[in-house]
């Protein structure tokens, strides 16, 4: 069982503020790191698949960075909006298996 | 195009019973993975099937089994249900294995009484 940790477990953000949170994963045998957004009553939605050390990916106001040598990834939300409220999951790919963290639940207050 | 579809959406069973959950992948996707998600935890990997063969298995007892059909749809079977099997079961499909993005269905909520 691979240890994928996400912190914090939850956070509250004021609308318009920016925020970020962390995913840590084993630094050995790295293959890929996935980020998903999971809104209540919906399916998890893929945000990014990151494979290279130093990778930085962006989708609208959301971006992510990757450090495979130290085993962490940051996800950033710029200018948070109420529609960004969701649980953000990271998942470490190893041997065709995705090992998920428990997620960071973001609540954006208007 | 239809996304990943799972059936049923909700299911109530009693201990000792058997359950079959179904998943239809996105058209053209050849890989299907199954996950179990309990409250407060991330999804836990159960199985991956690619081209109708099991390619990966998580840390679940033999009561859990699955298969993939020629049309790439999949079934997850759980025998001798326990209270602890109550969870949301998610299916995800992808074009291939490895780095491919996985597209998730809405899940089947299983309650074991």
């Amino acid at each position: 069982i691979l240890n994928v940790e996400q912190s914090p477990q939850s956070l509250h953000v004021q609308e318009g503020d920016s925020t970020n949170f962390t995913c840590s994963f084993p630094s050995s045998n790295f293959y890929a790191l996935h980020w998903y957004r999971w809104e209540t009553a919906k399916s998890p939605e893929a945000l990014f698949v990151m494979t290279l050390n130093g990778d930085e990916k962006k989708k609208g106001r959301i971006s992510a960075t990757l450090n495979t040598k130290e085993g962490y990834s940051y996800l950033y939300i710029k200018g948070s909006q109420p529609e960004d409220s969701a649980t953000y999951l990271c998942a470490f790919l190893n041997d065709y298996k995705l090992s998920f963290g428990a997620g960071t639940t973001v609540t954006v207050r208007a | 195009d239809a996304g990943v579809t799972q059936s049923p959406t909700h299911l109530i069973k009693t201990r000792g019973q058997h359950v079959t959950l179904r998943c239809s992948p996105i058209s053209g996707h050849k890989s299907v993975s199954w996950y179990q998600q309990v409250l407060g935890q991330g999804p836990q990997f159960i199985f991956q099937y690619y081209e109708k063969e099991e390619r990966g298995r998580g840390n679940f007892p033999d009561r859990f089994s699955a298969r993939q059909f020629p049309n790439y749809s999949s079934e997850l079977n759980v025998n001798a249900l326990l209270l602890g099997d109550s969870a949301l079961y998610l299916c995800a499909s992808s074009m291939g294995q490895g780095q491919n993005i996985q597209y998730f269905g809405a899940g089947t909520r299983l309650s074991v009484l």
Side-chain angles (χ1 to χ4, degrees), chain A residues 4-7 21-25 33-35 65-67 70-75 89-92 99-101 104:
Chain A
V4 180
E5 305 265 355
Q6 290 189 248
S7 64
F21 38 93
T22 310
C23 171
S24 62
F25 52 86
L33 187 82
H34 293 215
W35 279 101
T65 60
L66 180 69
N67 184 321
E70 296 183 36
Y72 64 83
S73 175
Y74 289 122
L75 193 118
L89 295 163
C90 69
F92 177 78
S99 296
F100 281 85
T104 294

Side-chain angles (χ1 to χ4, degrees), chain A residues 1 9 31-32 34 36 38 41-51 89 93 95-103, chain B residues 4 33 35 37 40-45 48 55-59 88 90 97-107:
Chain A
I1 298 176
Q9 183 178 358
Y31 195 55
H34 293 215
Y36 291 85
W38 196 358
K42 294 186 177 180
S43 311
E45 172 198 0
L47 289 173
F48 307 115
V49 177
M50 309 183 79
T51 57
L89 295 163
L93 181 68
D95 194 24
Y96 304 125
K97 302 174 188 176
L98 276 180
S99 296
F100 281 85
Chain B
V4 177
S33 298
Y35 298 85
Q37 197 256 344
Q41 297 181 21
Q44 299 294 310
F45 174 81
Q48 187 196 56
R55 296 302 180 102
R57 184 184 182 111
N59 189 25
L88 179 69
L90 292 164
Q97 301 177 91
Q99 301 172 11
N100 296 101
I101 286 175
Q102 295 198 8
Y103 296 84
F104 283 84

Side-chain angles (χ1 to χ4, degrees), chain B residues 20-74:
Chain B
T20 298
L21 310 181
R22 295 178 175 83
C23 172
S24 293
I26 290 172
S27 178
H29 285 192
K30 297 181 179 181
S31 178
V32 170
S33 298
W34 287 95
Y35 298 85
Q36 180 195 67
Q37 197 256 344
V38 298
L39 203 61
Q41 297 181 21
Q44 299 294 310
F45 174 81
I46 310 175
F47 287 109
Q48 187 196 56
Y49 277 77
Y50 177 70
E51 287 284 15
K52 292 152 281 184
E53 290 188 7
E54 182 184 305
R55 296 302 180 102
R57 184 184 182 111
N59 189 25
F60 281 81
D62 291 344
R63 299 184 296 108
F64 288 75
S65 63
R67 54 181 176 167
Q68 188 176 32
F69 298 99
N71 66 353
Y72 301 108
S73 67
S74 178

Side-chain angles (χ1 to χ4, degrees), chain B residues 6-25:
Chain B
Q6 292 187 244
S7 63
T9 53
H10 295 86
L11 202 51
I12 299 174
K13 292 284 190 179
T14 56
R15 281 178 296 176
Q17 285 190 310
H18 162 270
V19 69
T20 298
L21 310 181
R22 295 178 175 83
C23 172
S24 293

